[in-house]
Amino acid sequence: MEQEREQALKLIRSFLNIQDGANYIPRSVISAIVSIADTPDDKMQSICLETLCEISLYNIELVAHCAGLKSVNFFFFFPFVCLFVFFFFPFVSLLIY
């Protein structure tokens, strides 16, 4: 079961490599990612939070419509996690300030 979830998340993340690829991700998929990101004991919580952050950089309306901003706010309130995001996405710091 875990392998299928990992492969599905890899597929979703591959959409972000395409120009305007975040616009092609269905809301139902974002809702599923939000659900996993809100589950504290799930093994894939951190990667789903990272994926939501990345999708919100490209299409914040999509993430907001699926109630994903409450999960993404986790990154901005805890600096330990922010360091990881800033390492991979240096332009995220421009969105905060």
Side-chain angles (χ1 to χ4, degrees):
M1 179 84 173
E2 288 295 321
Q3 289 180 342
E4 289 89 358
R5 293 172 69 195
E6 289 175 16
Q7 293 299 319
L9 199 56
K10 285 180 183 180
L11 176 66
I12 297 305
R13 292 180 69 91
S14 69
F15 274 88
L16 301 176
N17 294 332
I18 303 169
Q19 184 177 357
D20 297 329
N23 296 329
Y24 299 114
I25 302 173
R27 291 179 180 165
S28 58
V29 172
I30 300 298
S31 296
I33 294 173
V34 169
S35 175
I36 295 170
D38 287 341
T39 307
D41 57 342
D42 198 314
K43 292 180 181 178
M44 296 187 66
Q45 180 192 22
S46 61
I47 190 69
C48 286
L49 285 170
E50 293 170 14
T51 303
L52 282 176
C53 281
E54 190 172 355
I55 292 171
S56 67
L57 291 175
Y58 297 112
N59 192 347
I60 196 160
E61 293 88 13
L62 178 65
V63 177
H65 185 269
C66 298
L69 291 182
K70 61 183 170 74
S71 301
V72 172
N73 282 336
F74 173 81
F75 279 101
F76 299 116
F77 291 124
F78 296 100
F80 303 111
V81 182
C82 285
L83 291 175
F84 183 75
V85 173
F86 291 156
F87 180 73
F88 287 109
F89 306 108
F91 51 88
V92 172
S93 62
L94 297 175
L95 296 175
I96 295 174
Y97 297 109

